[in-house]
Amino acid sequence: MIERLNHVAIVVPDLEAAIRLYKDVLGATVTEPIDLPAHGVTVAFIDLGNTKIELLYPLGEKSPVMSYLNKNSSGGVHHLCFEVDDIKVTCDHLVEKGMRILGNGEPELGAHGKPVIFLHPKDFCGTLIEIEQT
Ligand code: CO
């Protein structure tokens, strides 16, 4: 069912510092930060070829990543994103298996303009899982 690991999202307390860290220490190519007001985050991507790292920084007071940063002041891994072919089929399968889809239970357009769902971390070894239709 799941295919490639699309990205690992990391919440950071200082986006510019995080970008410098990945560029200067690890020699990675990092995109310019992009504000995504609809998602309450500013993002920068590191393309590693086999997958991406998504640096997430809160945007606005209702940012969904603010509570994470409040609990983890130095930041940390926020979610993993797996690719699937057909998100509707995947949703039906996951619900049948007793998994909880966050929000209204329906796919929504994610940060990359593609349909995504998020699964409850308590159903997945304490890890927030994003599923993206590619
Ligand atoms: Co994501």
Side-chain angles (χ1 to χ4, degrees), residues 20 23 27 29 64 79 87 96 104 113 124 130:
R20 278 199 306 276
K23 273 187 183 169
T29 303
H79 65 265
I87 203 158
E96 193 185 302
N104 64 8
F124 271 96
E130 178 179 24

Side-chain angles (χ1 to χ4, degrees), residues 6-10 22 44-48 51-55:
N6 184 277
H7 61 269
V8 176
I10 300 176
Y22 273 86
F45 292 100
I46 300 150
D47 195 341
L48 299 172
T51 192
K52 294 187 281 285
I53 304 293
E54 184 179 62
L55 301 175

